[in-house]
DNA sequence: CCAAAAGTGTTCATGCTACACCCATGC
DNA sequence: GCATGGGTGTAGCATGAACACTTTTGG
């Protein structure tokens, strides 16, 4: 499958339309509980089908634009956000997902920094929703969000993507809060500290966060030199890929 | 994103062409060593670009065909095979992957039963190659195969897909040989037995394989009632998805 | 009875969980 | 000095790797 397939059928190339959309996650502090939780921005459809309903930001794929670029651009045009993490999620192409036409959508998922999300434009046609309590969305977008949520939660457990929600430096308590918010489960601070330190993905700075009512916590930064081992074919660089050990 | 994106740009739907291709894996016994290893069928291109070079089986996506169906059909048309396992791998859409045109390829990967692969047609334009020693393929197909290989090996460790290489019933030694062939590493038979039995994915029959020179091994069959927890959005059924426990 | 694979038992190391405890700071 | 979160120590349990050992068959 790359460009032209090995076998070219008699009929001309398919006329299915190609779109790109993105599921964007950020952490917002809950108004009530203080605890942060996952939110995502949606866009109101201004035409049929599904006019008036909420949908994922996206757009048609221009012939001369890379898939990931198109995702980042449409995301930015509609929400004003710039993602710190962006990865392909899945390609949805069921025949009945758009009434009357065949649309194949390459879907990405993105993480944005919390304070940037707070600055983000909200308006009549763009609004943030709690990821676990969405209205009925246009097309198959509820299914897509569910899948993206599952991917985020699964991936957080074995990969180190939590820093995409945070700034340059952060305390381990902040990092732990991200994990707790995404996984919706309290985490033992002592064990979390050791797990993160053992993972070598984080570097201690000699700075401490001031202004806390109690003992000032040390600030850390992420070690960008460690290879992500992401699951994206792009990671399959010249040096190959780290394969974890296996059981018998 | 589903069908029509929430934001419809001024220009008409993109004119990128949509293709579907599949990386097909089967186990062949090595002529020399007796040990089985991974092989895959490739198709020779009969026109430009890359005329004469080997490529993954695939074809253009018809407007009225599901993505997975198209993968299974093109796979069967070119190689005569019917996969026991088929899953979407990734969508490749780099601008330069096909000279002169923009082709976006939704790529699947498939596993076929070993004895069916042995019966498969081989000809002037279809040939099997060892997965770890491929020639230079058309387009970006080498990258795609590398990625599919990584996915297969990674997934075999946490999912139970090895049975797709085997028939209805099999011995634990056969199942272990599949793991050893894919992971290219010897596995302790005693520990493998316990791991598989603990996973509850396999059911003991009361039959034994006859004709061995030594003690006859028990035959097992796969338990199709256990939910695969695959990583495919389709698995995200009405009952949700099993989320494994997490550490602190 | 011997060889060889099937199948069982046991030990050891490792990693994670739970939780007790000390440290440093603002008030 | 006291409350509180930062940070360290450690024992218990589960998992899995290594490997000794018993069982069952064909020759």
């Amino acid at each position: 499958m790359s460009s032209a397939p090995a076998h070219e059928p008699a009929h001309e190339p398919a006329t299915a339309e190609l779109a790109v959309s993105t599921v964007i996650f950020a952490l917002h502090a809950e108004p009530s509980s203080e605890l942060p939780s996952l939110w995502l921005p949606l866009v109101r459809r201004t035409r049929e089908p599904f006019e008036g309903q909420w949908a994922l930001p996206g757009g048609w794929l221009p012939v001369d634009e890379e898939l990931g670029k198109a995702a980042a651009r449409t995301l930015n045009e509609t929400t004003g956000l710039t993602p710190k993490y962006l990865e392909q999620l899945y390609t949805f192409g069921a025949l009945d997902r758009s009434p009357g036409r065949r649309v194949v959508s390459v879907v990405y998922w993105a993480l944005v920094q919390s304070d940037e999300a707070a600055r983000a434009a909200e308006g009549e046609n763009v609004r943030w929703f709690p990821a676990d309590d969405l209205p009925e969305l246009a097309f198959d977008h509820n299914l897509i969000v569910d899948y993206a949520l599952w991917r985020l939660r699964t991936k957080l457990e074995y990969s180190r993507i939590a820093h995409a929600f945070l700034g340059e430096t952060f305390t381990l308590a902040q990092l732990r809060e991200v994990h707790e918010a995404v996984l919706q489960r309290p985490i033992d601070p002592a064990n979390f500290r050791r797990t993160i330190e053992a993972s070598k993905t984080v570097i201690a700075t000699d700075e401490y966060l001031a202004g806390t009512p109690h003992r000032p916590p040390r600030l850390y930064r992420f070690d960008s030199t460690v290879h992500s081992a992401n699951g994206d074919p792009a990671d399959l660089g010249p040096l190959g890929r780290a394969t974890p050990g296996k059981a018998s």
Side-chain angles (χ1 to χ4, degrees), chain A:
Chain A
M1 73 41 58
S2 92
S3 51
H7 244 63
E8 267 151 300
H11 58 75
E12 268 303 286
T15 55
E17 297 161 275
L18 242 188
V20 174
S21 296
T22 308
V23 184
I24 307 159
F25 293 114
L27 291 177
H28 285 214
E30 286 278 5
S32 51
S33 63
E34 291 295 302
L35 296 168
S37 64
L38 280 171
W39 290 65
L40 50 87
L42 296 174
V43 181
R44 196 198 298 273
R45 286 190 54 79
T46 56
R47 67 183 67 183
E48 291 296 340
F50 298 102
E51 178 166 355
Q53 273 184 259
W54 297 97
L56 295 170
W60 301 112
L61 176 74
V63 211
D64 55 354
E65 191 172 39
E66 299 283 352
L67 292 171
K69 292 269 172 56
R73 176 183 53 76
T74 57
L75 176 168
N76 183 272
E77 284 172 2
T78 49
T79 65
L81 296 164
T82 305
K84 287 194 68 174
Y85 182 83
L86 183 70
E87 183 192 326
Q88 190 180 306
L89 177 67
Y90 196 79
T91 296
F92 295 83
L95 292 178
D96 59 354
R97 48 195 301 275
S98 185
R101 58 208 303 200
R102 178 72 187 286
V103 180
V104 172
S105 290
V106 182
V107 180
Y108 281 73
W109 62 291
L111 306 181
V112 305
Q113 209 170 311
S114 305
D115 53 350
E116 180 180 345
R119 287 194 306 272
E122 232 188 287
E124 178 64 23
N125 293 320
V126 181
R127 191 184 300 171
W128 289 80
F129 293 84
D132 282 310
D133 184 26
L134 294 179
E136 195 173 324
L137 306 184
F139 309 108
D140 50 1
H141 290 193
N142 285 98
L143 169 71
I144 294 176
V145 171
D146 285 348
Y147 183 50
L149 258 176
W150 175 82
R151 244 310 244 273
L152 166 61
R153 288 182 170 134
T154 304
K155 190 143 193 173
L156 193 69
E157 310 231 8
Y158 66 89
S159 182
R160 302 298 167 187
I161 54 175
H163 71 285
F165 288 112
L166 300 170
E168 261 307 291
T169 61
F170 47 85
T171 69
L172 290 187
Q174 290 170 336
L175 188 64
R176 177 170 49 83
E177 274 165 24
V178 170
H179 277 81
E180 290 178 333
V182 172
L183 302 177
Q184 300 177 295
R185 156 164 45 100
I187 296 173
D188 184 299
N191 296 333
F192 182 78
R193 164 180 302 275
R194 274 181 294 248
T195 303
I196 294 296
E197 279 169 349
S199 78
K200 302 277 192 181
T201 51
V202 107
I203 302 172
T205 71
D206 7 343
E207 292 166 278
Y208 293 82
L209 182 62
T212 61
H214 304 296
R215 172 172 175 179
R218 184 187 283 271
L219 287 170
Y220 290 79
R221 78 175 61 253
F222 261 84
D223 187 350
S224 49
T225 63
V226 293
H227 196 260
S228 24
N230 242 335
D232 226 76
D235 298 346
L236 224 74
L239 37 81
R241 175 187 294 278
T243 319
K246 174 60 190 76
S248 80

